[in-house]
Amino acid sequence: QAMLKALADGPRTSTQIKVAVGKSREHTARILKALFEGGFVTRDMANKPFTYQLTDTGRKRIAGS
């Protein structure tokens, strides 16, 4: 939930999300992968680190909390 909220203001890299939520790189990567696979975020793989952005499903998840 905290990672979704970190994306509420717009796209962020995994490093920016890691800093915002205060978790390890490994933890952040694992959660972002699950959020991506669940359809809550999109992943722009054009550059590294990847940039993540909320999907409509992710926005609804935040609104429902």
Side-chain angles (χ1 to χ4, degrees), residues 21-61:
V21 299
K23 299 292 183 183
S24 70
R25 184 188 65 77
E26 294 81 7
H27 179 83
T28 302
R30 189 171 49 252
I31 299 300
L32 285 171
K33 180 180 179 191
L35 291 172
F36 174 72
E37 291 174 349
F40 296 103
V41 300
T42 60
R43 180 191 296 156
D44 180 357
M45 297 186 284
N47 297 302
K48 286 193 176 186
F50 301 146
T51 302
Y52 293 85
Q53 185 168 356
L54 285 176
T55 62
D56 288 341
T57 303
R59 289 185 210 298
K60 289 176 187 172
R61 177 85 173 250

PDB file of all heavy atoms in Angstrom, residues 21-61:
ATOM      1  N   VAL A  21       9.676   4.752   0.755  1.00  0.00           N
ATOM      2  CA  VAL A  21       9.067   3.820   1.710  1.00  0.00           C
ATOM      3  C   VAL A  21      10.051   3.291   2.746  1.00  0.00           C
ATOM      4  O   VAL A  21       9.648   2.632   3.704  1.00  0.00           O
ATOM      5  CB  VAL A  21       8.359   2.636   0.990  1.00  0.00           C
ATOM      6  CG1 VAL A  21       7.241   3.137   0.099  1.00  0.00           C
ATOM      7  CG2 VAL A  21       9.349   1.799   0.200  1.00  0.00           C
ATOM      8  N   GLY A  22      11.337   3.569   2.554  1.00  0.00           N
ATOM      9  CA  GLY A  22      12.331   3.178   3.551  1.00  0.00           C
ATOM     10  C   GLY A  22      12.583   1.684   3.665  1.00  0.00           C
ATOM     11  O   GLY A  22      12.878   1.179   4.747  1.00  0.00           O
ATOM     12  N   LYS A  23      12.484   0.974   2.566  1.00  0.00           N
ATOM     13  CA  LYS A  23      12.720  -0.474   2.569  1.00  0.00           C
ATOM     14  C   LYS A  23      13.994  -0.786   1.785  1.00  0.00           C
ATOM     15  O   LYS A  23      14.517   0.052   1.062  1.00  0.00           O
ATOM     16  CB  LYS A  23      11.533  -1.210   1.926  1.00  0.00           C
ATOM     17  CG  LYS A  23      10.220  -1.010   2.649  1.00  0.00           C
ATOM     18  CD  LYS A  23      10.225  -1.671   3.996  1.00  0.00           C
ATOM     19  CE  LYS A  23       8.882  -1.520   4.691  1.00  0.00           C
ATOM     20  NZ  LYS A  23       8.877  -2.089   6.010  1.00  0.00           N
ATOM     21  N   SER A  24      14.450  -2.020   1.886  1.00  0.00           N
ATOM     22  CA  SER A  24      15.648  -2.437   1.153  1.00  0.00           C
ATOM     23  C   SER A  24      15.342  -2.535  -0.342  1.00  0.00           C
ATOM     24  O   SER A  24      14.187  -2.624  -0.759  1.00  0.00           O
ATOM     25  CB  SER A  24      16.129  -3.798   1.659  1.00  0.00           C
ATOM     26  OG  SER A  24      15.216  -4.812   1.265  1.00  0.00           O
ATOM     27  N   ARG A  25      16.421  -2.558  -1.131  1.00  0.00           N
ATOM     28  CA  ARG A  25      16.267  -2.693  -2.574  1.00  0.00           C
ATOM     29  C   ARG A  25      15.568  -4.010  -2.915  1.00  0.00           C
ATOM     30  O   ARG A  25      14.689  -4.055  -3.777  1.00  0.00           O
ATOM     31  CB  ARG A  25      17.642  -2.636  -3.253  1.00  0.00           C
ATOM     32  CG  ARG A  25      17.569  -2.669  -4.765  1.00  0.00           C
ATOM     33  CD  ARG A  25      18.943  -2.818  -5.394  1.00  0.00           C
ATOM     34  NE  ARG A  25      19.582  -4.090  -5.078  1.00  0.00           N
ATOM     35  CZ  ARG A  25      19.275  -5.264  -5.644  1.00  0.00           C
ATOM     36  NH1 ARG A  25      18.316  -5.333  -6.544  1.00  0.00           N
ATOM     37  NH2 ARG A  25      19.909  -6.360  -5.301  1.00  0.00           N
ATOM     38  N   GLU A  26      15.949  -5.079  -2.224  1.00  0.00           N
ATOM     39  CA  GLU A  26      15.371  -6.394  -2.488  1.00  0.00           C
ATOM     40  C   GLU A  26      13.880  -6.428  -2.164  1.00  0.00           C
ATOM     41  O   GLU A  26      13.086  -6.954  -2.938  1.00  0.00           O
ATOM     42  CB  GLU A  26      16.110  -7.476  -1.679  1.00  0.00           C
ATOM     43  CG  GLU A  26      17.541  -7.683  -2.085  1.00  0.00           C
ATOM     44  CD  GLU A  26      18.509  -6.652  -1.492  1.00  0.00           C
ATOM     45  OE1 GLU A  26      18.100  -5.832  -0.635  1.00  0.00           O
ATOM     46  OE2 GLU A  26      19.679  -6.652  -1.904  1.00  0.00           O
ATOM     47  N   HIS A  27      13.521  -5.870  -1.016  1.00  0.00           N
ATOM     48  CA  HIS A  27      12.106  -5.826  -0.619  1.00  0.00           C
ATOM     49  C   HIS A  27      11.301  -5.006  -1.629  1.00  0.00           C
ATOM     50  O   HIS A  27      10.230  -5.430  -2.069  1.00  0.00           O
ATOM     51  CB  HIS A  27      11.975  -5.232   0.787  1.00  0.00           C
ATOM     52  CG  HIS A  27      10.563  -5.134   1.257  1.00  0.00           C
ATOM     53  ND1 HIS A  27       9.894  -6.195   1.811  1.00  0.00           N
ATOM     54  CD2 HIS A  27       9.684  -4.102   1.234  1.00  0.00           C
ATOM     55  CE1 HIS A  27       8.651  -5.821   2.108  1.00  0.00           C
ATOM     56  NE2 HIS A  27       8.508  -4.557   1.774  1.00  0.00           N
ATOM     57  N   THR A  28      11.828  -3.854  -1.987  1.00  0.00           N
ATOM     58  CA  THR A  28      11.144  -2.983  -2.941  1.00  0.00           C
ATOM     59  C   THR A  28      10.963  -3.686  -4.281  1.00  0.00           C
ATOM     60  O   THR A  28       9.870  -3.662  -4.857  1.00  0.00           O
ATOM     61  CB  THR A  28      11.932  -1.667  -3.128  1.00  0.00           C
ATOM     62  OG1 THR A  28      12.072  -1.036  -1.852  1.00  0.00           O
ATOM     63  CG2 THR A  28      11.236  -0.726  -4.081  1.00  0.00           C
ATOM     64  N   ALA A  29      12.005  -4.332  -4.770  1.00  0.00           N
ATOM     65  CA  ALA A  29      11.930  -5.037  -6.051  1.00  0.00           C
ATOM     66  C   ALA A  29      10.893  -6.151  -6.018  1.00  0.00           C
ATOM     67  O   ALA A  29      10.118  -6.322  -6.968  1.00  0.00           O
ATOM     68  CB  ALA A  29      13.296  -5.599  -6.420  1.00  0.00           C
ATOM     69  N   ARG A  30      10.844  -6.895  -4.929  1.00  0.00           N
ATOM     70  CA  ARG A  30       9.894  -7.998  -4.791  1.00  0.00           C
ATOM     71  C   ARG A  30       8.451  -7.490  -4.801  1.00  0.00           C
ATOM     72  O   ARG A  30       7.586  -8.038  -5.487  1.00  0.00           O
ATOM     73  CB  ARG A  30      10.202  -8.773  -3.503  1.00  0.00           C
ATOM     74  CG  ARG A  30       9.432 -10.046  -3.344  1.00  0.00           C
ATOM     75  CD  ARG A  30       9.918 -10.902  -2.179  1.00  0.00           C
ATOM     76  NE  ARG A  30      10.080 -10.187  -0.920  1.00  0.00           N
ATOM     77  CZ  ARG A  30      11.254  -9.883  -0.354  1.00  0.00           C
ATOM     78  NH1 ARG A  30      12.386 -10.218  -0.933  1.00  0.00           N
ATOM     79  NH2 ARG A  30      11.306  -9.249   0.797  1.00  0.00           N
ATOM     80  N   ILE A  31       8.193  -6.415  -4.062  1.00  0.00           N
ATOM     81  CA  ILE A  31       6.832  -5.870  -3.999  1.00  0.00           C
ATOM     82  C   ILE A  31       6.436  -5.242  -5.339  1.00  0.00           C
ATOM     83  O   ILE A  31       5.311  -5.426  -5.812  1.00  0.00           O
ATOM     84  CB  ILE A  31       6.711  -4.841  -2.850  1.00  0.00           C
ATOM     85  CG1 ILE A  31       7.003  -5.509  -1.502  1.00  0.00           C
ATOM     86  CG2 ILE A  31       5.338  -4.179  -2.847  1.00  0.00           C
ATOM     87  CD1 ILE A  31       6.097  -6.652  -1.132  1.00  0.00           C
ATOM     88  N   LEU A  32       7.356  -4.505  -5.962  1.00  0.00           N
ATOM     89  CA  LEU A  32       7.052  -3.897  -7.262  1.00  0.00           C
ATOM     90  C   LEU A  32       6.753  -4.962  -8.310  1.00  0.00           C
ATOM     91  O   LEU A  32       5.859  -4.787  -9.137  1.00  0.00           O
ATOM     92  CB  LEU A  32       8.191  -2.987  -7.723  1.00  0.00           C
ATOM     93  CG  LEU A  32       8.277  -1.649  -7.005  1.00  0.00           C
ATOM     94  CD1 LEU A  32       9.566  -0.925  -7.382  1.00  0.00           C
ATOM     95  CD2 LEU A  32       7.064  -0.778  -7.310  1.00  0.00           C
ATOM     96  N   LYS A  33       7.474  -6.067  -8.269  1.00  0.00           N
ATOM     97  CA  LYS A  33       7.202  -7.164  -9.202  1.00  0.00           C
ATOM     98  C   LYS A  33       5.788  -7.694  -8.990  1.00  0.00           C
ATOM     99  O   LYS A  33       5.043  -7.913  -9.945  1.00  0.00           O
ATOM    100  CB  LYS A  33       8.226  -8.288  -9.015  1.00  0.00           C
ATOM    101  CG  LYS A  33       8.004  -9.449  -9.953  1.00  0.00           C
ATOM    102  CD  LYS A  33       9.016 -10.550  -9.747  1.00  0.00           C
ATOM    103  CE  LYS A  33       8.717 -11.694 -10.704  1.00  0.00           C
ATOM    104  NZ  LYS A  33       9.477 -12.886 -10.395  1.00  0.00           N
ATOM    105  N   ALA A  34       5.396  -7.893  -7.743  1.00  0.00           N
ATOM    106  CA  ALA A  34       4.052  -8.395  -7.437  1.00  0.00           C
ATOM    107  C   ALA A  34       2.985  -7.382  -7.870  1.00  0.00           C
ATOM    108  O   ALA A  34       1.946  -7.765  -8.423  1.00  0.00           O
ATOM    109  CB  ALA A  34       3.921  -8.701  -5.951  1.00  0.00           C
ATOM    110  N   LEU A  35       3.246  -6.097  -7.636  1.00  0.00           N
ATOM    111  CA  LEU A  35       2.285  -5.062  -8.046  1.00  0.00           C
ATOM    112  C   LEU A  35       2.161  -5.008  -9.568  1.00  0.00           C
ATOM    113  O   LEU A  35       1.069  -4.837 -10.110  1.00  0.00           O
ATOM    114  CB  LEU A  35       2.701  -3.695  -7.496  1.00  0.00           C
ATOM    115  CG  LEU A  35       2.593  -3.523  -5.982  1.00  0.00           C
ATOM    116  CD1 LEU A  35       3.225  -2.207  -5.549  1.00  0.00           C
ATOM    117  CD2 LEU A  35       1.143  -3.607  -5.520  1.00  0.00           C
ATOM    118  N   PHE A  36       3.281  -5.175 -10.269  1.00  0.00           N
ATOM    119  CA  PHE A  36       3.272  -5.189 -11.722  1.00  0.00           C
ATOM    120  C   PHE A  36       2.490  -6.394 -12.241  1.00  0.00           C
ATOM    121  O   PHE A  36       1.617  -6.266 -13.099  1.00  0.00           O
ATOM    122  CB  PHE A  36       4.713  -5.205 -12.250  1.00  0.00           C
ATOM    123  CG  PHE A  36       4.818  -5.374 -13.738  1.00  0.00           C
ATOM    124  CD1 PHE A  36       4.473  -4.340 -14.590  1.00  0.00           C
ATOM    125  CD2 PHE A  36       5.273  -6.565 -14.277  1.00  0.00           C
ATOM    126  CE1 PHE A  36       4.572  -4.495 -15.966  1.00  0.00           C
ATOM    127  CE2 PHE A  36       5.372  -6.736 -15.650  1.00  0.00           C
ATOM    128  CZ  PHE A  36       5.018  -5.689 -16.494  1.00  0.00           C
ATOM    129  N   GLU A  37       2.788  -7.563 -11.697  1.00  0.00           N
ATOM    130  CA  GLU A  37       2.103  -8.784 -12.133  1.00  0.00           C
ATOM    131  C   GLU A  37       0.616  -8.753 -11.790  1.00  0.00           C
ATOM    132  O   GLU A  37      -0.201  -9.350 -12.492  1.00  0.00           O
ATOM    133  CB  GLU A  37       2.774 -10.009 -11.520  1.00  0.00           C
ATOM    134  CG  GLU A  37       4.156 -10.256 -12.103  1.00  0.00           C
ATOM    135  CD  GLU A  37       4.921 -11.377 -11.426  1.00  0.00           C
ATOM    136  OE1 GLU A  37       4.486 -11.863 -10.361  1.00  0.00           O
ATOM    137  OE2 GLU A  37       5.988 -11.748 -11.963  1.00  0.00           O
ATOM    138  N   GLY A  38       0.254  -8.034 -10.719  1.00  0.00           N
ATOM    139  CA  GLY A  38      -1.151  -7.910 -10.330  1.00  0.00           C
ATOM    140  C   GLY A  38      -1.906  -6.832 -11.081  1.00  0.00           C
ATOM    141  O   GLY A  38      -3.115  -6.676 -10.900  1.00  0.00           O
ATOM    142  N   GLY A  39      -1.203  -6.082 -11.926  1.00  0.00           N
ATOM    143  CA  GLY A  39      -1.864  -5.053 -12.725  1.00  0.00           C
ATOM    144  C   GLY A  39      -2.066  -3.732 -12.002  1.00  0.00           C
ATOM    145  O   GLY A  39      -2.821  -2.878 -12.470  1.00  0.00           O
ATOM    146  N   PHE A  40      -1.381  -3.528 -10.883  1.00  0.00           N
ATOM    147  CA  PHE A  40      -1.538  -2.298 -10.116  1.00  0.00           C
ATOM    148  C   PHE A  40      -0.605  -1.188 -10.593  1.00  0.00           C
ATOM    149  O   PHE A  40      -0.872  -0.018 -10.367  1.00  0.00           O
ATOM    150  CB  PHE A  40      -1.294  -2.553  -8.622  1.00  0.00           C
ATOM    151  CG  PHE A  40      -2.300  -3.491  -8.018  1.00  0.00           C
ATOM    152  CD1 PHE A  40      -1.976  -4.809  -7.751  1.00  0.00           C
ATOM    153  CD2 PHE A  40      -3.584  -3.062  -7.735  1.00  0.00           C
ATOM    154  CE1 PHE A  40      -2.900  -5.677  -7.203  1.00  0.00           C
ATOM    155  CE2 PHE A  40      -4.523  -3.914  -7.184  1.00  0.00           C
ATOM    156  CZ  PHE A  40      -4.186  -5.233  -6.928  1.00  0.00           C
ATOM    157  N   VAL A  41       0.493  -1.570 -11.240  1.00  0.00           N
ATOM    158  CA  VAL A  41       1.446  -0.600 -11.781  1.00  0.00           C
ATOM    159  C   VAL A  41       1.893  -1.043 -13.166  1.00  0.00           C
ATOM    160  O   VAL A  41       1.835  -2.226 -13.501  1.00  0.00           O
ATOM    161  CB  VAL A  41       2.693  -0.415 -10.875  1.00  0.00           C
ATOM    162  CG1 VAL A  41       2.310   0.085  -9.501  1.00  0.00           C
ATOM    163  CG2 VAL A  41       3.503  -1.690 -10.774  1.00  0.00           C
ATOM    164  N   THR A  42       2.340  -0.064 -13.964  1.00  0.00           N
ATOM    165  CA  THR A  42       2.993  -0.364 -15.228  1.00  0.00           C
ATOM    166  C   THR A  42       4.484  -0.169 -15.027  1.00  0.00           C
ATOM    167  O   THR A  42       4.908   0.540 -14.114  1.00  0.00           O
ATOM    168  CB  THR A  42       2.502   0.556 -16.364  1.00  0.00           C
ATOM    169  OG1 THR A  42       2.777   1.911 -16.022  1.00  0.00           O
ATOM    170  CG2 THR A  42       1.018   0.365 -16.625  1.00  0.00           C
ATOM    171  N   ARG A  43       5.261  -0.774 -15.893  1.00  0.00           N
ATOM    172  CA  ARG A  43       6.723  -0.690 -15.802  1.00  0.00           C
ATOM    173  C   ARG A  43       7.265  -0.220 -17.150  1.00  0.00           C
ATOM    174  O   ARG A  43       7.082  -0.888 -18.153  1.00  0.00           O
ATOM    175  CB  ARG A  43       7.281  -2.068 -15.466  1.00  0.00           C
ATOM    176  CG  ARG A  43       8.781  -2.107 -15.335  1.00  0.00           C
ATOM    177  CD  ARG A  43       9.313  -3.517 -15.259  1.00  0.00           C
ATOM    178  NE  ARG A  43       8.880  -4.232 -14.088  1.00  0.00           N
ATOM    179  CZ  ARG A  43       8.814  -5.565 -14.008  1.00  0.00           C
ATOM    180  NH1 ARG A  43       9.139  -6.311 -15.041  1.00  0.00           N
ATOM    181  NH2 ARG A  43       8.418  -6.148 -12.894  1.00  0.00           N
ATOM    182  N   ASP A  44       7.915   0.932 -17.151  1.00  0.00           N
ATOM    183  CA  ASP A  44       8.556   1.446 -18.358  1.00  0.00           C
ATOM    184  C   ASP A  44       9.990   0.932 -18.369  1.00  0.00           C
ATOM    185  O   ASP A  44      10.805   1.350 -17.551  1.00  0.00           O
ATOM    186  CB  ASP A  44       8.524   2.979 -18.369  1.00  0.00           C
ATOM    187  CG  ASP A  44       9.183   3.571 -19.605  1.00  0.00           C
ATOM    188  OD1 ASP A  44       9.714   2.802 -20.442  1.00  0.00           O
ATOM    189  OD2 ASP A  44       9.182   4.802 -19.739  1.00  0.00           O
ATOM    190  N   MET A  45      10.275   0.037 -19.290  1.00  0.00           N
ATOM    191  CA  MET A  45      11.582  -0.599 -19.318  1.00  0.00           C
ATOM    192  C   MET A  45      12.535   0.052 -20.314  1.00  0.00           C
ATOM    193  O   MET A  45      13.581  -0.504 -20.623  1.00  0.00           O
ATOM    194  CB  MET A  45      11.419  -2.084 -19.613  1.00  0.00           C
ATOM    195  CG  MET A  45      10.643  -2.801 -18.524  1.00  0.00           C
ATOM    196  SD  MET A  45      10.554  -4.585 -18.737  1.00  0.00           S
ATOM    197  CE  MET A  45       9.334  -4.725 -20.026  1.00  0.00           C
ATOM    198  N   ALA A  46      12.202   1.257 -20.798  1.00  0.00           N
ATOM    199  CA  ALA A  46      13.044   1.938 -21.774  1.00  0.00           C
ATOM    200  C   ALA A  46      14.398   2.320 -21.193  1.00  0.00           C
ATOM    201  O   ALA A  46      15.402   2.337 -21.904  1.00  0.00           O
ATOM    202  CB  ALA A  46      12.322   3.176 -22.308  1.00  0.00           C
ATOM    203  N   ASN A  47      14.439   2.638 -19.920  1.00  0.00           N
ATOM    204  CA  ASN A  47      15.684   3.021 -19.255  1.00  0.00           C
ATOM    205  C   ASN A  47      15.806   2.266 -17.940  1.00  0.00           C
ATOM    206  O   ASN A  47      14.825   1.776 -17.403  1.00  0.00           O
ATOM    207  CB  ASN A  47      15.689   4.525 -18.957  1.00  0.00           C
ATOM    208  CG  ASN A  47      15.635   5.346 -20.219  1.00  0.00           C
ATOM    209  OD1 ASN A  47      16.493   5.232 -21.093  1.00  0.00           O
ATOM    210  ND2 ASN A  47      14.617   6.187 -20.334  1.00  0.00           N
ATOM    211  N   LYS A  48      17.018   2.221 -17.435  1.00  0.00           N
ATOM    212  CA  LYS A  48      17.224   1.626 -16.108  1.00  0.00           C
ATOM    213  C   LYS A  48      17.694   2.717 -15.178  1.00  0.00           C
ATOM    214  O   LYS A  48      18.509   3.540 -15.576  1.00  0.00           O
ATOM    215  CB  LYS A  48      18.253   0.494 -16.177  1.00  0.00           C
ATOM    216  CG  LYS A  48      17.677  -0.739 -16.820  1.00  0.00           C
ATOM    217  CD  LYS A  48      18.574  -1.917 -16.593  1.00  0.00           C
ATOM    218  CE  LYS A  48      17.920  -3.170 -17.166  1.00  0.00           C
ATOM    219  NZ  LYS A  48      18.664  -4.359 -16.868  1.00  0.00           N
ATOM    220  N   PRO A  49      17.244   2.774 -13.939  1.00  0.00           N
ATOM    221  CA  PRO A  49      16.247   1.848 -13.388  1.00  0.00           C
ATOM    222  C   PRO A  49      14.873   2.053 -14.035  1.00  0.00           C
ATOM    223  O   PRO A  49      14.570   3.129 -14.530  1.00  0.00           O
ATOM    224  CB  PRO A  49      16.213   2.206 -11.908  1.00  0.00           C
ATOM    225  CG  PRO A  49      16.669   3.623 -11.834  1.00  0.00           C
ATOM    226  CD  PRO A  49      17.635   3.792 -12.973  1.00  0.00           C
ATOM    227  N   PHE A  50      14.078   0.999 -14.026  1.00  0.00           N
ATOM    228  CA  PHE A  50      12.737   1.063 -14.593  1.00  0.00           C
ATOM    229  C   PHE A  50      11.910   2.125 -13.882  1.00  0.00           C
ATOM    230  O   PHE A  50      12.114   2.402 -12.707  1.00  0.00           O
ATOM    231  CB  PHE A  50      12.012  -0.283 -14.463  1.00  0.00           C
ATOM    232  CG  PHE A  50      12.714  -1.433 -15.128  1.00  0.00           C
ATOM    233  CD1 PHE A  50      12.646  -2.694 -14.585  1.00  0.00           C
ATOM    234  CD2 PHE A  50      13.439  -1.265 -16.294  1.00  0.00           C
ATOM    235  CE1 PHE A  50      13.277  -3.773 -15.182  1.00  0.00           C
ATOM    236  CE2 PHE A  50      14.079  -2.331 -16.900  1.00  0.00           C
ATOM    237  CZ  PHE A  50      13.995  -3.591 -16.344  1.00  0.00           C
ATOM    238  N   THR A  51      10.961   2.688 -14.613  1.00  0.00           N
ATOM    239  CA  THR A  51      10.040   3.656 -14.034  1.00  0.00           C
ATOM    240  C   THR A  51       8.673   2.991 -13.875  1.00  0.00           C
ATOM    241  O   THR A  51       8.193   2.323 -14.791  1.00  0.00           O
ATOM    242  CB  THR A  51       9.908   4.897 -14.947  1.00  0.00           C
ATOM    243  OG1 THR A  51      11.208   5.463 -15.134  1.00  0.00           O
ATOM    244  CG2 THR A  51       8.997   5.937 -14.336  1.00  0.00           C
ATOM    245  N   TYR A  52       8.083   3.177 -12.716  1.00  0.00           N
ATOM    246  CA  TYR A  52       6.780   2.587 -12.407  1.00  0.00           C
ATOM    247  C   TYR A  52       5.721   3.670 -12.315  1.00  0.00           C
ATOM    248  O   TYR A  52       6.006   4.787 -11.887  1.00  0.00           O
ATOM    249  CB  TYR A  52       6.842   1.814 -11.087  1.00  0.00           C
ATOM    250  CG  TYR A  52       7.716   0.598 -11.174  1.00  0.00           C
ATOM    251  CD1 TYR A  52       9.090   0.687 -10.980  1.00  0.00           C
ATOM    252  CD2 TYR A  52       7.176  -0.640 -11.471  1.00  0.00           C
ATOM    253  CE1 TYR A  52       9.905  -0.423 -11.078  1.00  0.00           C
ATOM    254  CE2 TYR A  52       7.991  -1.773 -11.570  1.00  0.00           C
ATOM    255  CZ  TYR A  52       9.347  -1.649 -11.374  1.00  0.00           C
ATOM    256  OH  TYR A  52      10.145  -2.750 -11.481  1.00  0.00           O
ATOM    257  N   GLN A  53       4.496   3.317 -12.723  1.00  0.00           N
ATOM    258  CA  GLN A  53       3.382   4.254 -12.679  1.00  0.00           C
ATOM    259  C   GLN A  53       2.117   3.477 -12.323  1.00  0.00           C
ATOM    260  O   GLN A  53       1.952   2.319 -12.708  1.00  0.00           O
ATOM    261  CB  GLN A  53       3.221   4.914 -14.050  1.00  0.00           C
ATOM    262  CG  GLN A  53       2.167   5.986 -14.090  1.00  0.00           C
ATOM    263  CD  GLN A  53       2.249   6.796 -15.381  1.00  0.00           C
ATOM    264  OE1 GLN A  53       3.135   6.602 -16.210  1.00  0.00           O
ATOM    265  NE2 GLN A  53       1.340   7.705 -15.544  1.00  0.00           N
ATOM    266  N   LEU A  54       1.227   4.130 -11.593  1.00  0.00           N
ATOM    267  CA  LEU A  54      -0.032   3.487 -11.212  1.00  0.00           C
ATOM    268  C   LEU A  54      -0.914   3.227 -12.422  1.00  0.00           C
ATOM    269  O   LEU A  54      -0.959   4.035 -13.353  1.00  0.00           O
ATOM    270  CB  LEU A  54      -0.825   4.381 -10.253  1.00  0.00           C
ATOM    271  CG  LEU A  54      -0.351   4.485  -8.818  1.00  0.00           C
ATOM    272  CD1 LEU A  54      -1.198   5.496  -8.065  1.00  0.00           C
ATOM    273  CD2 LEU A  54      -0.384   3.145  -8.124  1.00  0.00           C
ATOM    274  N   THR A  55      -1.639   2.139 -12.391  1.00  0.00           N
ATOM    275  CA  THR A  55      -2.693   1.877 -13.359  1.00  0.00           C
ATOM    276  C   THR A  55      -4.015   2.327 -12.722  1.00  0.00           C
ATOM    277  O   THR A  55      -4.056   2.705 -11.541  1.00  0.00           O
ATOM    278  CB  THR A  55      -2.792   0.374 -13.671  1.00  0.00           C
ATOM    279  OG1 THR A  55      -3.135  -0.318 -12.462  1.00  0.00           O
ATOM    280  CG2 THR A  55      -1.493  -0.174 -14.240  1.00  0.00           C
ATOM    281  N   ASP A  56      -5.091   2.269 -13.476  1.00  0.00           N
ATOM    282  CA  ASP A  56      -6.403   2.596 -12.901  1.00  0.00           C
ATOM    283  C   ASP A  56      -6.729   1.652 -11.747  1.00  0.00           C
ATOM    284  O   ASP A  56      -7.298   2.063 -10.741  1.00  0.00           O
ATOM    285  CB  ASP A  56      -7.497   2.504 -13.968  1.00  0.00           C
ATOM    286  CG  ASP A  56      -7.434   3.648 -14.970  1.00  0.00           C
ATOM    287  OD1 ASP A  56      -6.809   4.693 -14.655  1.00  0.00           O
ATOM    288  OD2 ASP A  56      -7.996   3.505 -16.074  1.00  0.00           O
ATOM    289  N   THR A  57      -6.330   0.398 -11.879  1.00  0.00           N
ATOM    290  CA  THR A  57      -6.552  -0.578 -10.804  1.00  0.00           C
ATOM    291  C   THR A  57      -5.789  -0.167  -9.550  1.00  0.00           C
ATOM    292  O   THR A  57      -6.309  -0.255  -8.439  1.00  0.00           O
ATOM    293  CB  THR A  57      -6.112  -1.982 -11.263  1.00  0.00           C
ATOM    294  OG1 THR A  57      -6.828  -2.326 -12.452  1.00  0.00           O
ATOM    295  CG2 THR A  57      -6.353  -3.024 -10.184  1.00  0.00           C
ATOM    296  N   GLY A  58      -4.559   0.301  -9.718  1.00  0.00           N
ATOM    297  CA  GLY A  58      -3.758   0.763  -8.589  1.00  0.00           C
ATOM    298  C   GLY A  58      -4.372   1.975  -7.914  1.00  0.00           C
ATOM    299  O   GLY A  58      -4.391   2.085  -6.684  1.00  0.00           O
ATOM    300  N   ARG A  59      -4.907   2.896  -8.723  1.00  0.00           N
ATOM    301  CA  ARG A  59      -5.559   4.090  -8.160  1.00  0.00           C
ATOM    302  C   ARG A  59      -6.800   3.704  -7.359  1.00  0.00           C
ATOM    303  O   ARG A  59      -7.063   4.251  -6.292  1.00  0.00           O
ATOM    304  CB  ARG A  59      -5.957   5.054  -9.277  1.00  0.00           C
ATOM    305  CG  ARG A  59      -4.800   5.732  -9.921  1.00  0.00           C
ATOM    306  CD  ARG A  59      -5.277   6.779 -10.944  1.00  0.00           C
ATOM    307  NE  ARG A  59      -4.364   6.964 -12.037  1.00  0.00           N
ATOM    308  CZ  ARG A  59      -3.128   7.402 -11.941  1.00  0.00           C
ATOM    309  NH1 ARG A  59      -2.615   7.684 -10.779  1.00  0.00           N
ATOM    310  NH2 ARG A  59      -2.363   7.550 -13.004  1.00  0.00           N
ATOM    311  N   LYS A  60      -7.563   2.743  -7.880  1.00  0.00           N
ATOM    312  CA  LYS A  60      -8.761   2.277  -7.162  1.00  0.00           C
ATOM    313  C   LYS A  60      -8.370   1.619  -5.848  1.00  0.00           C
ATOM    314  O   LYS A  60      -9.079   1.765  -4.845  1.00  0.00           O
ATOM    315  CB  LYS A  60      -9.549   1.301  -8.041  1.00  0.00           C
ATOM    316  CG  LYS A  60     -10.237   1.979  -9.195  1.00  0.00           C
ATOM    317  CD  LYS A  60     -10.919   0.970 -10.094  1.00  0.00           C
ATOM    318  CE  LYS A  60     -11.456   1.648 -11.348  1.00  0.00           C
ATOM    319  NZ  LYS A  60     -11.963   0.691 -12.323  1.00  0.00           N
ATOM    320  N   ARG A  61      -7.249   0.913  -5.842  1.00  0.00           N
ATOM    321  CA  ARG A  61      -6.785   0.244  -4.620  1.00  0.00           C
ATOM    322  C   ARG A  61      -6.465   1.288  -3.539  1.00  0.00           C
ATOM    323  O   ARG A  61      -6.785   1.095  -2.379  1.00  0.00           O
ATOM    324  CB  ARG A  61      -5.556  -0.589  -4.950  1.00  0.00           C
ATOM    325  CG  ARG A  61      -4.923  -1.287  -3.793  1.00  0.00           C
ATOM    326  CD  ARG A  61      -5.616  -2.613  -3.523  1.00  0.00           C
ATOM    327  NE  ARG A  61      -4.916  -3.361  -2.515  1.00  0.00           N
ATOM    328  CZ  ARG A  61      -4.235  -4.470  -2.734  1.00  0.00           C
ATOM    329  NH1 ARG A  61      -4.141  -4.976  -3.938  1.00  0.00           N
ATOM    330  NH2 ARG A  61      -3.656  -5.095  -1.745  1.00  0.00           N
TER     331      ARG A  61
END
